[in-house]
Amino acid sequence: TELKQKDYLLDRMMSALEKSPVGIALLDNTGNYYYMNKSHAEILEYESGDLIGKHWKTIYEESEATLIEKEYFPMLLKNGSWKGITYGITKNKKPIRQEISLTTFDDGGLLCITRDVGAVIEELEEVQKTKHQLELAMRASNLGRWTYHIDTGVLDLNETIGK
């Protein structure tokens, strides 16, 4: 019957939310959590139900919460959504860089999707640091470098070869 199909679909959707590797949370119009999947809780080092009924500011230092309220929420309210990096704190007071995506509901509530991006950002910073060190070493030793881009047929030469 139609009711059984709707129940099945609802059950599958809830299962998908719970199994998602991405953190998903729902907040009411006062900023309190009323749903949080396991991934969202784990990113913040909480147990699944620990933050239910708690305000979103629980996972932020005061200065970051103020930044979110004064800078990000106006954009969220204007556009209906906002995406960026925030600096949260875990249950054990460990700082965490998280990419969050916020979307408003008609009743003023929020959908929050989050990922811990700290490790990714650290890896990118390390790659940039290594690239900078390589460029300095090549300049100091007066070495040439060329890069051939197969897809475009363009050959890039550094200053030493280009002279």
Side-chain angles (χ1 to χ4, degrees):
T1 69
E2 188 177 330
L3 185 58
K4 283 185 181 181
Q5 288 176 337
K6 287 182 180 179
D7 283 345
Y8 176 77
L9 180 60
L10 184 59
D11 192 45
R12 297 295 276 187
M13 289 171 32
M14 285 303 298
S15 180
L17 286 173
E18 283 302 317
K19 292 178 180 181
S20 173
V22 176
I24 301 169
L26 302 175
L27 295 88
D28 64 24
N29 61 5
T30 65
N32 293 321
Y33 291 102
Y34 65 89
Y35 170 80
M36 180 179 294
N37 73 351
K38 184 177 178 183
S39 293
H40 198 290
E42 286 177 351
I43 288 168
L44 300 165
E45 299 178 351
Y46 283 88
E47 296 298 320
S48 290
D50 288 353
L51 288 169
I52 301 303
K54 301 265 187 342
H55 198 271
W56 64 266
K57 290 182 183 180
T58 303
I59 63 165
Y60 292 100
E61 296 285 349
E62 188 176 334
S63 60
E64 186 73 4
T66 300
L67 177 67
I68 292 168
E69 284 183 315
K70 293 188 183 218
E71 298 289 327
Y72 307 153
F73 275 10
M75 290 184 273
L76 170 65
L77 295 175
K78 179 182 177 192
N79 302 320
S81 65
W82 178 84
K83 181 179 181 179
I85 304 293
T86 61
Y87 295 86
I89 52 171
T90 67
K91 182 178 182 177
N92 300 314
K93 303 296 182 205
K94 184 176 79 176
I96 179 174
R97 283 191 272 193
Q98 55 186 353
E99 177 187 59
I100 63 171
S101 176
L102 301 173
T103 304
T104 57
F105 291 122
D106 292 338
D107 66 357
L110 290 174
L111 164 65
C112 176
I113 298 174
T114 187
R115 292 184 316 133
D116 179 355
V117 293
V120 173
I121 291 172
E122 287 174 13
E123 288 175 18
L124 286 173
E125 289 170 349
E126 188 61 32
V127 167
Q128 289 172 341
K129 179 180 167 186
T130 301
K131 180 183 175 197
H132 180 69
Q133 289 171 339
L134 176 61
E135 288 171 354
L136 289 175
M138 288 183 71
R139 261 192 237 129
S141 61
N142 206 28
L143 290 174
R145 177 193 46 82
W146 60 270
T147 305
Y148 180 70
H149 301 276
I150 295 172
D151 56 335
T152 62
V154 173
L155 180 65
D156 287 331
L157 308 173
N158 74 348
E159 295 172 7
T160 303
I161 294 178
K163 291 180 181 177

